[in-house]
Amino acid sequence: MIEAKDLEAQAEFVTRIPLPPERLDALSREILDLKRKINAVILAHNYQVPEIQDVADFVGDSLGLSQQAARTKADVIVFCGVHFMAETAKILNPGKVVILPDAAAGCSLEESCPDPKLKALQDTNSNFYTITYINCSAEVKALSDVICTSGNAVKIVNAAPKDRDILFVPDENLGAWVMEQTGRKMTLWKGSCYAHLEFTYASIMRVRQEYPVAPIVAHPECTKAVRMLADEICSTEKMVEFCKRTPAQAIIIATESGMIHRLRKECPDKRFIPAPADKCRCNECQFMKMNTLEKLYECMAALSPRVELSPSIIERARLPIQRMLDISAVK
Ligand code: 13P
Ligand code: SF4
């Protein structure tokens, strides 16, 4: 069991061997030179390792990253996140080169929802209106009516036609939280984020006892037992807004550990305490952490691995993503 006093030290990533400072500086400079040479934009999710966040043009949540991907003028999109995120960027930019540091960076939510299984469920009810969390394959997006992220799921569900039966896939925890927020009944797919399931009632109670006045901010991919203990439940980008706004000087963060670097940069005067996982130091997403600064340099130098999708998938998957972007843009 991890002692609560070790929690802040734990914010330094445990599965990562840091680069020596000279190598880090040199590699970061080479990446920025290469970026100018190939006219690329580097987009990085909040869960990426600090050295990748530090060379990115934009660091954000899934919603912010898709909005950036939709408006970029760059010729090459370098997506530092997991595969479904780079796929989304390709769907929005079929004519551009989209690369990612490690093509094997998957997601447990994506794996939980294969498109033939989703199609079989959809075929059981012609009145289903499928709202799909962005954490899924391009094939699943192509079967969806509208896409959502954790940052806009409540808004997307509120905008859904009232006479349709909502099928919400693939994250049942996010879906359950959205049902509580909107009062809208939905059929939930039984998928989950393995990294957020590592937070438990017991692990959060332990950190609450250690830091009794610090508010707890949790991602909606956490279970209900964890969400019930949280003072704020929101997407990673909204966590930044909450932490800037709150008068609290110390905040407990129940999400993937990469978030701590972003928060420390945005709010340098505050303390961030990573919520502990129950039995292990595993509040890291193994998929997000497959990307390294070296792999980022290599993919930019080789313009590979690239995301390639069939024109028919791109055409069908684009519509529900565009619908999400349009609904999100309405004030
Ligand atoms: P957001 O980017 O919407 O905060 O979600 C976090 C996540 O789990 C991405 O894989
Ligand atoms: Fe998927 Fe969870 Fe990793 Fe996000 S943190 S990519 S939802 S496994």
Side-chain angles (χ1 to χ4, degrees):
M1 187 186 288
I2 304 161
E3 292 301 321
K5 63 180 158 40
D6 292 338
L7 293 174
E8 281 185 88
Q10 185 189 315
E12 301 312 325
F13 300 94
V14 290
T15 56
R16 189 171 58 103
I17 301 161
L19 287 170
E22 325 75 63
R23 173 86 182 116
L24 176 65
D25 285 353
L27 200 51
S28 304
R29 267 199 309 275
E30 283 172 46
I31 287 170
L32 296 177
D33 286 348
L34 201 47
K35 188 185 77 160
R36 277 185 286 274
K37 215 184 278 170
I38 63 176
N39 189 24
V41 63
I42 302 177
L43 305 179
H45 190 269
N46 286 321
Y47 296 164
Q48 290 298 286
V49 290
E51 54 271 29
I52 289 185
Q53 292 192 26
D54 292 347
V55 293
D57 294 292
F58 180 85
V59 182
D61 67 354
S62 308
L63 177 61
L65 293 169
S66 17
Q67 288 165 331
Q68 291 294 326
R71 70 172 71 116
T72 185
K73 299 254 182 301
D75 296 321
V76 177
I77 299 175
V78 188
F79 213 114
C80 301
V82 290
H83 192 262
F84 74 79
M85 295 179 169
E87 266 186 355
T88 308
K90 181 69 182 178
I91 293 163
L92 289 165
N93 296 278
K96 291 189 197 289
V97 172
V98 178
I99 53 176
L100 69 169
D102 193 323
C107 169
S108 65
L109 276 166
E110 177 179 353
E111 277 167 30
S112 78
C113 191
D115 54 299
K117 274 195 170 172
L118 174 59
K119 178 82 178 66
L121 179 59
Q122 286 174 322
D123 286 346
T124 64
N125 181 352
S126 58
N127 199 40
F128 267 148
Y129 183 82
T130 307
I131 302 183
T132 304
Y133 190 31
I134 199 162
N135 298 35
C136 65
S137 67
E139 288 76 12
V140 165
K141 287 185 177 76
L143 288 172
S144 306
D145 290 295
V146 62
I147 303 303
C148 73
T149 72
S150 63
N152 63 16
V154 168
K155 196 171 187 181
I156 299 291
V157 168
N158 278 331
K162 298 283 177 266
D163 58 343
R164 301 286 296 276
D165 301 325
I166 298 180
L167 171 60
F168 190 93
V169 307
D171 187 5
E172 66 171 333
N173 289 303
L174 174 66
W177 176 71
V178 173
M179 275 211 278
E180 291 161 18
Q181 302 300 301
T182 61
R184 187 91 192 247
K185 231 176 139 304
M186 309 194 291
T187 300
L188 304 182
W189 189 269
K190 291 219 162 301
S192 54
C193 162
Y194 91 96
H196 284 88
L197 290 196
E198 297 294 344
F199 302 114
T200 65
Y201 181 82
S203 74
I204 302 298
M205 279 307 280
R206 236 173 39 240
V207 68
R208 163 143 280 177
Q209 278 155 12
E210 183 78 12
Y211 300 91
V213 296
I216 298 173
V217 183
H219 196 275
E221 288 171 13
C222 293
T223 62
K224 178 150 179 115
V226 168
R227 295 197 309 272
M228 275 167 48
L229 296 173
D231 299 281
E232 180 76 8
I233 299 163
C234 56
S235 73
T236 54
E237 201 55 33
K238 289 184 182 168
M239 286 183 185
V240 176
E241 291 163 31
F242 173 86
C243 292
K244 283 184 176 167
R245 196 170 69 229
T246 179
Q249 284 307 299
I251 305 138
I252 298 165
I253 304 295
T255 195
E256 209 273 352
S257 57
M259 194 63 215
I260 302 294
H261 181 69
R262 173 82 199 284
L263 289 169
R264 283 179 176 164
K265 274 179 99 168
E266 297 278 353
C267 312
D269 300 331
K270 296 194 175 176
R271 278 175 72 193
F272 295 101
I273 301 136
D278 206 17
K279 297 188 185 67
C280 56
R281 289 171 181 267
C282 40
N283 57 353
E284 285 190 358
C285 170
Q286 58 170 311
F287 305 111
M288 288 280 182
K289 295 302 187 281
M290 288 170 82
N291 296 332
T292 61
L293 202 64
E294 289 101 326
K295 287 187 201 172
L296 171 56
Y297 175 79
E298 283 158 19
C299 86
M300 290 173 71
L303 289 181
S304 168
R306 288 185 196 201
V307 178
E308 305 288 4
L309 291 166
S310 77
S312 93
I313 286 289
I314 290 182
E315 198 187 319
R316 286 184 292 133
R318 195 186 167 98
L319 189 69
I321 298 173
Q322 194 55 52
R323 201 170 272 149
M324 168 188 84
L325 293 173
D326 292 346
I327 296 169
S328 292
V330 177
K331 291 281 171 224

